[in-house]
Amino acid sequence: MSKVDLSPRPVEAMSPRQLERRRNLIAAALSLVNEIGVERLQMKQVSERSGVALGTAYRYFSSKDHLLAAAITDWHRLLLADIVAELRGPRAPAAVADRVVRFVNHGMRAYQRQPQLAHLLVSVSASTDPFASEALHSMARADREALLAVMPDVPPSVQDVVPHIVGNVWQGELTAWVTGRTTLRDARRRLEDVVRLVLTPYHAA
């Protein structure tokens, strides 16, 4: 007997109606996370809030972790788009280090305003669900693309390593703040120190 494929449907293969259901599930999940937190959230609650049957929800997301990883990834992408739009405008700082400092500070402030989403990001980062991991890899790629968009001064030879360093330090400081190992002020100070250390050599004259 052949195995039944229980993998969730790929986003690119979804119809408009299916994409709408997916958006409804994600919106419901984010709303519930902000209301009751990550730990108490259950797929049944998301199903009821979104109007999508529980069995149908599992056709889109393999698990609670997969849904939450997809939800925070979508929210994070919108955050990045807003930050990049501002930092490519006429009021953006001229120096690349200043632009990236503003980038990470804007990101930290956004999570400060919605601390439950910061907890969500840290929580799903520890998930072993392969589909959750795939969503988080997608988020990491989005971070890299956004950082490269605001640091055109950085030469191609280091365009792989510089966003990797900045992105990982941002994630590490966010995790340290969420888990109570540092204050937000100290996290932002260390972030700025690392950004300036890494990027000051590429300041365009």
Side-chain angles (χ1 to χ4, degrees), residues 119-179:
H119 281 269
L120 170 56
L121 176 57
V122 172
S123 175
V124 297
S125 295
S127 173
T128 58
D129 184 296
F131 295 104
S133 296
E134 185 178 316
L136 294 172
H137 283 312
S138 174
M139 182 190 294
R141 289 193 297 271
D143 280 343
R144 179 181 182 278
E145 292 167 4
L147 282 164
L148 288 176
V150 301
M151 56 169 83
D153 323 69
V154 173
S157 59
V158 294
Q159 283 185 356
D160 282 334
V161 68
V162 169
H164 181 76
I165 292 171
V166 174
N168 277 277
V169 173
W170 182 13
Q171 172 77 15
E173 293 298 338
L174 186 65
T175 299
W177 169 59
V178 166
T179 54

Side-chain angles (χ1 to χ4, degrees), residues 26-38:
I26 284 176
L30 290 174
S31 175
L32 285 163
V33 165
N34 277 317
E35 290 176 21
I36 64 175
V38 178

Side-chain angles (χ1 to χ4, degrees), residues 72-94:
I72 193 61
T73 296
D74 280 14
W75 185 87
H76 189 84
R77 282 181 183 276
L78 292 174
L79 169 63
L80 293 177
D82 287 344
I83 298 173
V84 169
E86 178 183 338
L87 293 179
R88 297 181 77 177
R91 295 188 176 182

Side-chain angles (χ1 to χ4, degrees), residues 93-97 99 151-154 199-205:
V96 61
R99 288 197 303 275
M151 56 169 83
D153 323 69
V154 173
L199 289 172
T200 296
Y202 307 110
H203 174 50

